[in-house]
Amino acid sequence: MPSLKLFAKRALARVYRALLHREAGRDVILLYHSVGGGPVSTPVSAFRQQMEWLAQHAEVLPLGEILTTRNAGQLRVAITFDDGYASLHTHAAPVMEQFDMVATIFLTTGMIDELNGLPSNPDFGHYPLETFLSWKQILELISSGWTLGCHGWQHLDSTRINDQVFKENILRCKAAIAIHTGLSARWLAFTWGRFEERHLIAAKALGMDYAFSCIHGGVNVSLEDEAIDAVNRIDIRPDVSLTDFSSIVMGNWDFLGRLQLMRLHLRAGNAR
């Protein structure tokens, strides 16, 4: 049964939709964690329905294309996954392959073993009862068109560690990806979407072209932007219906991002 919070979001979405001025084109980056894995993962059946809806109503592109090409007036969507759970290889990739789609994984590389999947640990902020991908599985996903970004060597809250630990956590993650795949990771997704301005500055100094938040909304950077900014991503929770999903992708739930930004500004003001 849907929670009261979900009912409230649906009610607010109906109001927001009535007030919404739709633009000709919309770019969206969706965020998932696990598909068909532990108890808080997205069910495979729901994920398949969502990908089918996207195939029928949107142009699903690799993340790099969303970030570096202009929207000619259509709905464009990129798919991302955080942490790096084995269910992406087992369940998500086969579903996406049916619709000729690929995704980007932001890896917690300290939890990735060469051949064996390591168990998740909720005490470290992982999803419960999950197994992490192995480098062997990651290479197979790369060979089918998937791309990688950094989530950190460990799953650390950027706002609760000092700058040196933050830098070391990202550099170790970048190094592991380079060693095991030969690729240079130039995208960073903040754990829990938490960051401060100093982390954006540090990310750019560490060679990141883009950093990603969990602020709910359409893509908020343009090709003309020179300074690194936190790119919006929409977290797709496992309890949303297909009707919710379509409404979210179309922008009817973007009021959530406005509320998130208000809380961030209030928190920053209180910290001064």
Side-chain angles (χ1 to χ4, degrees):
M1 182 177 179
S3 65
L4 289 175
K5 182 182 288 188
L6 185 56
F7 275 123
K9 289 178 179 179
R10 289 170 176 169
L12 288 170
R14 287 192 289 271
V15 175
Y16 189 75
R17 179 183 180 183
L19 301 173
L20 184 64
H21 171 70
R22 293 194 184 278
E23 298 179 354
R26 175 173 168 84
D27 287 340
V28 179
I29 302 171
L30 302 183
L31 162 62
Y32 295 88
H33 285 80
S34 175
V35 176
V40 294
S41 67
T42 300
V44 176
S45 58
F47 185 72
R48 181 178 290 107
Q49 288 179 331
Q50 292 167 9
M51 295 305 104
E52 184 175 8
W53 186 92
L54 290 176
Q56 294 171 353
H57 297 91
E59 183 179 11
V60 180
L61 297 172
L63 180 59
E65 287 193 45
I66 289 280
L67 296 170
T68 60
T69 61
R70 296 186 187 279
N71 189 320
Q74 65 268 57
L75 175 62
R76 307 194 307 174
V77 178
I79 310 295
T80 66
F81 294 91
D82 281 4
D83 297 347
Y85 300 120
S87 67
L88 309 187
H89 184 274
T90 308
H91 299 300
V95 170
M96 296 185 72
E97 187 176 2
Q98 293 174 15
F99 301 103
D100 196 26
M101 300 173 183
V102 294
T104 296
I105 317 169
F106 290 98
L107 291 172
T108 305
T109 52
M111 298 301 299
I112 310 297
D113 186 67
E114 193 68 43
L115 298 174
N116 302 307
L118 300 178
S120 66
N121 186 340
D123 291 339
F124 296 152
H126 307 156
Y127 270 33
L129 301 179
E130 297 282 354
T131 300
F132 278 86
L133 289 160
S134 67
W135 286 113
K136 179 177 181 294
Q137 291 173 319
I138 290 167
L139 290 173
E140 291 174 0
L141 291 171
I142 291 172
S143 69
S144 64
W146 287 47
T147 52
L148 304 180
C150 285
H151 207 35
W153 173 255
Q154 293 296 343
H155 199 274
L156 303 178
D157 182 344
S158 301
T159 64
R160 295 179 177 272
I161 56 178
N162 64 43
D163 291 352
Q164 186 58 37
V165 173
F166 173 78
K167 292 175 183 178
E168 290 175 357
N169 195 43
I170 304 309
L171 286 174
R172 291 187 72 182
C173 182
K174 280 175 63 76
I177 290 173
I179 290 168
H180 291 279
T181 70
L183 301 176
S184 176
R186 303 187 65 85
W187 302 332
L188 169 67
F190 294 115
T191 51
W192 291 288
R194 297 172 187 166
F195 68 96
E196 297 168 356
E197 187 66 26
R198 61 191 172 96
H199 300 117
L200 294 173
I201 296 170
K204 187 174 180 64
L206 295 172
M208 295 297 170
D209 293 330
Y210 293 95
F212 298 85
S213 71
C214 297
I215 300 296
H216 188 117
V219 173
N220 56 322
V221 295
S222 69
L223 299 180
E224 289 77 21
D225 289 340
E226 293 184 2
I228 191 171
D229 200 355
V231 184
N232 293 340
R233 289 188 302 164
I234 297 176
D235 187 6
I236 302 299
R237 301 297 178 89
D239 59 345
V240 298
S241 68
L242 185 60
T243 299
D244 294 333
F245 177 80
S246 62
S247 185
I248 288 168
V249 174
M250 296 299 292
N252 300 335
W253 292 40
D254 282 3
F255 66 90
L256 292 173
R258 295 173 182 266
L259 295 175
Q260 287 174 299
L261 290 172
M262 287 174 58
R263 286 197 296 268
L264 285 174
H265 292 319
L266 286 172
R267 192 177 300 129
N270 293 333
R272 292 194 184 102

